[in-house]
Amino acid sequence: MREGHLMENSLLSGCHIGIPSVVFLTFLLSLLSPASQASQLRVTLSVSDSGMVVEHVQSGLQSELTRQGYVVGTNLTWMDESQAQLSDVNMTISMSQSTPFITLVSQQGVSTDIYLDKSSMDENHHDELIDHYDVNFIKKLLPGINTLGVIIDNNSTDTFNVSQFLAQQKQNGVQVIYSYIDRSAELRTSARVLAQQVDAIYLPHHITDMPDLNYVVIVAERNDVALIGEDHSSINKGVFAVYNIDYVQIGRDTADLLVRLAEGEQNLHTDNYLVQPVLSINLDAAARMGIELSGEVIDKAKYIIE
């Protein structure tokens, strides 16, 4: 309340010196606007792959740039590869295992590489690598699990990572049952069929982005079936756990690096690094699905919804 009174007093003093209140308010808001504080930013973006992963990275990238005051058409320009020499930072996104996932290079030649897989890391960085995925994480979340259901959209091309993940679960002695759909409207029936056969259902990116996901959540809660997602944003939609790379957060972190590179920061930490998967848990969803989590699992979660 005190700050509100101070603002009113400032506006009144502006009117006393002959400035119309509307003009003065517009001027004041322009001073407070993040966009007015952000300089021009020109970025060349090259994307060699498409799919949900890249879309989520770009979503995080754009949201963080907007938060920092960069608005397309005002002070943010996306440029194509033919204009790379005119941009402040050149950015590349690639899902190929033989190249970095994201590469940022400033006009001054300062660069940063972000990797998703150990095999594509420079040999000189092996000592710095973290242990990547914990292939036993589902057993740690749900010690009694024997059967895992998976819903797959026949129209999706984002199935490579899911296939790898499922192969690991089979090696751990978990039976995997697949349910294939062609459209969102089939989700409810698919979930009902799986709920009678499995202990948990795994939902890839392309499934948790579907509009009928809420029906899967309802079926899971009514049948005490755990829902595990591939996408961290899905824990806000009723999924109880996600253990994966947070691609939206990668986008946000990339945006921050991009701005710092464009500003010519000299002390920027530019060592190549491997992205680490993190655990997100929705405790409220877990309770509704009849899941009891150990304190050890909860302590390892980076993001928790209660």
Side-chain angles (χ1 to χ4, degrees):
M1 294 297 294
R2 187 67 176 172
E3 292 179 357
H5 289 302
L6 289 174
M7 179 65 75
E8 291 172 5
N9 290 337
S10 298
L11 291 175
L12 287 173
S13 64
C15 293
H16 290 163
I17 61 175
I19 302 176
S21 59
V22 174
V23 175
F24 184 78
L25 178 59
T26 302
F27 171 72
L28 182 60
L29 290 175
S30 70
L31 292 178
L32 297 176
S33 170
S36 67
Q37 304 299 318
S39 59
Q40 291 292 323
L41 179 60
R42 298 164 298 180
V43 183
T44 296
L45 176 60
S46 174
V47 180
S48 60
D49 303 275
S50 60
M52 291 295 181
V53 167
V54 174
E55 288 179 13
H56 288 183
V57 171
Q58 290 179 300
S59 173
L61 177 73
Q62 188 61 63
S63 67
E64 178 59 21
L65 288 175
T66 300
R67 191 193 69 80
Q68 294 197 29
Y70 291 96
V71 179
V72 175
T74 302
N75 57 354
L76 172 61
T77 304
W78 294 106
M79 311 174 76
D80 59 42
E81 294 180 65
S82 65
Q83 301 173 299
Q85 70 279 7
L86 301 176
S87 66
D88 301 301
V89 178
N90 297 328
M91 176 178 174
T92 303
I93 302 177
S94 173
M95 293 298 294
S96 171
Q97 290 188 337
S98 61
T99 61
F101 177 46
I102 297 175
T103 295
L104 299 172
V105 183
S106 71
Q107 286 296 348
Q108 292 73 36
V110 180
S111 65
T112 296
D113 291 332
I114 300 173
Y115 290 88
L116 295 182
D117 189 89
K118 291 182 179 181
S119 62
S120 58
M121 288 288 290
D122 187 306
E123 292 182 359
N124 295 328
H125 293 81
H126 281 326
D127 292 339
E128 302 172 16
L129 294 178
I130 58 167
D131 289 330
H132 208 37
Y133 286 98
D134 179 356
V135 297
N136 296 311
F137 90 93
I138 283 189
K139 284 284 191 179
K140 292 179 179 178
L141 286 173
L142 306 166
I145 187 172
N146 295 306
T147 309
L148 177 68
V150 184
I151 302 178
I152 301 288
D153 181 2
N154 283 321
N155 304 304
S156 175
T157 58
D158 293 342
T159 58
F160 177 74
N161 289 336
V162 175
S163 298
Q164 286 189 319
F165 164 79
L166 296 176
Q168 292 170 342
Q169 304 318 306
K170 288 181 180 179
Q171 292 174 5
N172 290 340
V174 176
Q175 180 185 0
V176 179
I177 298 177
Y178 296 87
S179 177
Y180 295 91
I181 64 173
D182 291 303
R183 57 187 183 277
S184 179
E186 298 175 7
L187 276 176
R188 185 193 305 214
T189 299
S190 176
R192 283 177 173 173
V193 172
L194 285 176
Q196 305 306 313
Q197 308 175 69
V198 302
D199 304 307
I201 297 176
Y202 185 77
L203 303 174
H205 285 276
H206 58 265
I207 298 297
T208 52
D209 279 346
M210 286 185 168
D212 292 314
L213 174 66
N214 60 303
Y215 293 119
V216 180
V217 175
I218 292 172
V219 171
E221 292 175 354
R222 288 178 177 175
N223 292 273
D224 288 342
V225 172
L227 285 185
I228 300 172
E230 184 185 18
D231 169 28
H232 283 278
S233 66
S234 65
I235 66 164
N236 295 309
K237 303 175 183 179
V239 169
F240 107 85
V242 174
Y243 175 72
N244 198 5
I245 293 169
D246 187 344
Y247 292 103
V248 173
Q249 185 60 49
I250 289 178
R252 295 191 188 104
D253 294 341
T254 299
D256 186 59
L257 288 171
L258 190 155
V259 171
R260 291 161 64 191
L261 281 171
E263 292 175 346
E265 185 172 328
Q266 297 300 313
N267 297 321
L268 181 67
H269 179 71
T270 58
D271 287 345
N272 300 334
Y273 67 94
L274 184 71
V275 177
Q276 183 174 8
V278 295
L279 176 63
S280 294
I281 292 177
N282 185 328
L283 294 179
D284 183 46
R288 291 197 302 271
M289 295 170 192
I291 302 165
E292 294 185 8
L293 295 170
S294 68
E296 179 184 2
V297 167
I298 295 174
D299 289 343
K300 289 183 178 180
K302 184 171 182 179
Y303 305 110
I304 297 177
I305 295 179
E306 299 181 315

